Each structure stands twice: as structure tokens, then as C-alpha cells.
Amino acid sequence: MALLTEKLTNNQQTILNLLEESKEPLKAYAILFDIQKKGIKSPLQVYRALDKLIEIGKVHKIESKNSYIACKNSHCNSQTSTSFLICEICDKVTELKKNNLSSYFSKVSEKSNFKYTKHNLEIYGECKNCKKKI
Amino acid sequence: MALLTEKLTNNQQTILNLLEESKEPLKAYAILFDIQKKGIKSPLQVYRALDKLIEIGKVHKIESKNSYIACKNSHCNSQTSTSFLICEICDKVTELKKNNLSSYFSKVSEKSNFKYTKHNLEIYGECKNCKKKI
DNA sequence: TTTGATATGTTATATTATTACATGTAATAT
DNA sequence: ATATTACATGTAATAATATAACATATCAAA
């Protein structure tokens, strides 16, 4: 747990705040654009902060969208594994939490004689709001 | 099934052959480099062929690696969904087939009032060969 | 044999991410 | 208090991944 309570640097905190306030995942250069007023000028500053935030589990990357999202799960047990529901209509992304996907994947992997460590899962479909409207 | 038996164009076939012969997933520019001798000169030609091959289910993209892999499953029922086991040690990638992951994810999604359409799953760990060596 | 759909070729450019290197900062050990 | 250590920053340049725009070609179906 030590990692999770570690103090963040200015750049890291600025970027985490932005992601936490955002209703949707943000791309690295969108982040850069948004915070140039706060003194962050180069892509590298953004990527470095993101790397650290990902490492400590505060932020996840959505691989298929090259986007980054703050982890709303205060006791996120998946600092490495991620599972998302992604709406194909409105692009809303929600993180699946408190599920037993890891143990399920662990079993599935074993059948192929593969030792599970972590996973990324991206499920596409229609969120509850968009389902209604159709 | 019509799509799966559709005739491929030269570029598409060239790139599919390369991917099928490859022991590992390939990146777009690696493909480009490999086939320049065969007349394909620009990234766009590669990406267009890949798009088509992905559309018909002959090739899958591994999102977290920006890499492309031929589908070895001759009757691939996942033209859109993909599930991979990725070895963190040797980088070997195998596709999970004939599993009921889709129906499982469908149920998991329903619990969040989300209508499942498709998924990408990337499981990281140790393949059977690398497990032995440790 | 024109039409419509799809594929190609080519150039340029957009988007995403990293390398390399100099400098700064803050905690700890001497 | 200062040298050492480990990170964090700043900056410029560039690498890696992917798409836009537009002209031309192919080829099957009406």
C-alpha cells in the first residue's frame, strides 16, 4: 500500500487532477494541450508523469484507444491488470471493479499451460444510457 | 462465411503470407520493410491491407503491442473479438480459441447493464517453455 | 460499355511516444 | 554543512505509428 499513498510531484498531481475531473479518457497530447497554461510544455513531461501514475495504479491506459483514465477505485487492487467497458456509441468508459476476472483468467491460462500474471480486457458494446435510446 | 473465402488482392495476400510465416506478431513498419522487394512501398499500402485482413478475420491486432498476427484458427469465429496469451519473457503470442469467453463477458457486462458486442483480451504471463526454464 | 465499388500508388502530414543530455531538487550519510 | 544518491525536470530532437488527400486503376455487375 505504500506506493498508493506516496506523495506526487507537481507534474504528476496536475495531470492526475485533470484526468480525475475528466468525464472521459484523455489522450496524451490532449492532456498536454490542456495544461500548457500550468507550465508543462513538452510531451515528455506528460508521458513521464503518466508512466509514474500508471506504475502506482492511479491511472490506467486504454490500449486500443491510446488514452488514459484515472482509476476511480480508491483501493484499486489492479495496479497492473485492467478491465474496461467501452461504449461504441458515446465512447464512455467504465472500469470493471471488484470482480474475479483475474482468477478466472488464471484458470483459463492454466489450461494452455500458461502462468497468468496480469491482463488487459477491453469490452466493447452499448452502455446503459445508449441502450435506452435505440 | 462468404467473407472468409473472399479472394484476396495481391497486397493483401503478400502481407498475409508474411504474417502466416512469421513466428511472432509483426509491426506495420516491419512488414513494410520485409516486403519492399515485392513492390509495396508505402505505409498506407500496408495499413490498408491490414485493415482488410482484420475486417475479414484473417489477421488480428494486438493493441498493447501495436502488432499484427495471422489468425491460425481456420474457422475463426472471432472476426472481431480477440483473446491472447502473451509471454512476458520470450514475447511469444498465442491466440485463445474455442473458448466461451464471449458468453462469459456477456454475462459480466450485463451486471453493469452494458450490452456486450465484442472484446479484446490480452493476458500476460509465462508460456510453458519459459516456465520450465525458471 | 458505362457505372459503381473497391483497390492502388504517391506524397504529405498527423499522431503517439522515446532518446539523449543537461540541470534541478530533496532526502540521507559523512 | 556538504557530498552523495536517487529521482524528477526541462528542452530539443527524433523515432515510431497511423491517416488524409487525391489521382488513377481494376473489375464485376447492370
Side-chain angles (χ1 to χ4, degrees):
Chain A
M1 275 303 150
L3 277 176
L4 290 179
T5 55
E6 211 172 13
K7 202 170 180 184
L8 298 177
T9 65
N10 281 345
N11 288 358
Q12 289 160 13
Q13 191 64 58
T14 302
I15 287 176
L16 181 57
N17 288 347
L18 183 65
L19 283 170
E20 283 177 341
E21 284 157 18
S22 171
K23 286 177 184 164
E24 60 216 5
L26 296 177
K27 299 195 162 220
Y29 279 75
I31 293 171
L32 177 58
F33 179 81
D34 274 358
I35 58 180
Q36 283 190 325
K37 33 196 153 173
K38 300 198 177 154
I40 294 179
K41 288 171 190 160
S42 82
L44 191 48
Q45 291 173 291
V46 174
Y47 282 108
R48 281 200 283 225
L50 286 173
D51 283 350
K52 187 69 185 180
L53 290 167
I54 288 169
E55 187 190 326
I56 63 177
K58 292 282 193 189
V59 165
H60 302 308
K61 179 175 185 183
I62 302 170
E63 294 287 353
S64 66
K65 297 177 97 71
N66 297 319
S67 296
Y68 303 85
I69 190 171
C71 180
K72 271 122 190 172
N73 200 345
S74 61
H75 298 298
C76 189
N77 59 356
S78 34
Q79 290 168 34
T80 50
S81 290
T82 55
S83 308
F84 298 108
L85 299 175
I86 303 171
C87 180
E88 292 178 306
I89 296 171
C90 73
D91 278 331
K92 184 170 149 53
V93 176
T94 46
E95 188 175 355
L96 280 172
K97 345 178 184 176
K98 291 180 184 169
N99 53 49
N100 44 14
L101 286 169
S102 289
S103 64
Y104 180 70
F105 292 147
S106 199
K107 277 177 212 157
V108 170
S109 301
E110 250 171 43
K111 284 181 197 162
S112 301
N113 204 352
F114 186 94
K115 186 180 168 226
Y116 170 92
T117 320
K118 64 177 185 180
H119 73 266
N120 297 324
L121 170 62
E122 299 173 8
I123 295 179
Y124 289 84
E126 288 169 32
C127 74
K128 56 184 173 188
N129 288 329
C130 292
K131 266 201 320 187
K132 273 189 221 157
K133 292 176 189 157
I134 292 178
Chain B
M1 274 303 150
L3 278 175
L4 289 179
T5 56
E6 211 173 14
K7 202 169 181 186
L8 299 176
T9 65
N10 281 345
N11 288 357
Q12 290 159 13
Q13 191 65 59
T14 301
I15 288 175
L16 181 58
N17 288 348
L18 183 64
L19 283 170
E20 283 177 340
E21 285 157 19
S22 171
K23 285 176 185 165
E24 60 215 7
L26 296 177
K27 299 192 162 226
Y29 280 73
I31 293 171
L32 177 58
F33 178 81
D34 274 358
I35 58 181
Q36 283 191 326
K37 33 197 154 173
K38 298 199 177 154
I40 294 179
K41 289 171 190 160
S42 82
L44 192 47
Q45 290 173 292
V46 173
Y47 282 107
R48 282 200 283 227
L50 286 173
D51 283 348
K52 187 68 185 180
L53 291 166
I54 288 168
E55 187 190 327
I56 64 178
K58 292 284 193 188
V59 166
H60 303 307
K61 180 174 185 182
I62 302 168
E63 293 288 352
S64 65
K65 297 176 97 72
N66 297 319
S67 297
Y68 304 86
I69 189 171
C71 179
K72 271 122 188 170
N73 200 345
S74 61
H75 298 298
C76 189
N77 59 356
S78 37
Q79 291 169 33
T80 51
S81 290
T82 55
S83 307
F84 298 107
L85 299 175
I86 304 172
C87 180
E88 293 177 304
I89 297 171
C90 73
D91 278 331
K92 184 169 149 55
V93 175
T94 45
E95 188 175 354
L96 280 172
K97 342 178 186 180
K98 290 180 184 170
N99 54 51
N100 43 15
L101 286 169
S102 289
S103 65
Y104 180 70
F105 292 147
S106 200
K107 277 177 211 155
V108 171
S109 300
E110 251 170 45
K111 284 181 196 161
S112 300
N113 204 354
F114 185 94
K115 187 180 167 225
Y116 170 92
T117 319
K118 63 177 184 180
H119 74 266
N120 298 325
L121 169 62
E122 298 172 11
I123 294 178
Y124 289 83
E126 289 171 30
C127 73
K128 56 184 173 190
N129 287 330
C130 292
K131 267 201 321 186
K132 272 188 224 158
K133 292 174 191 157
I134 293 177

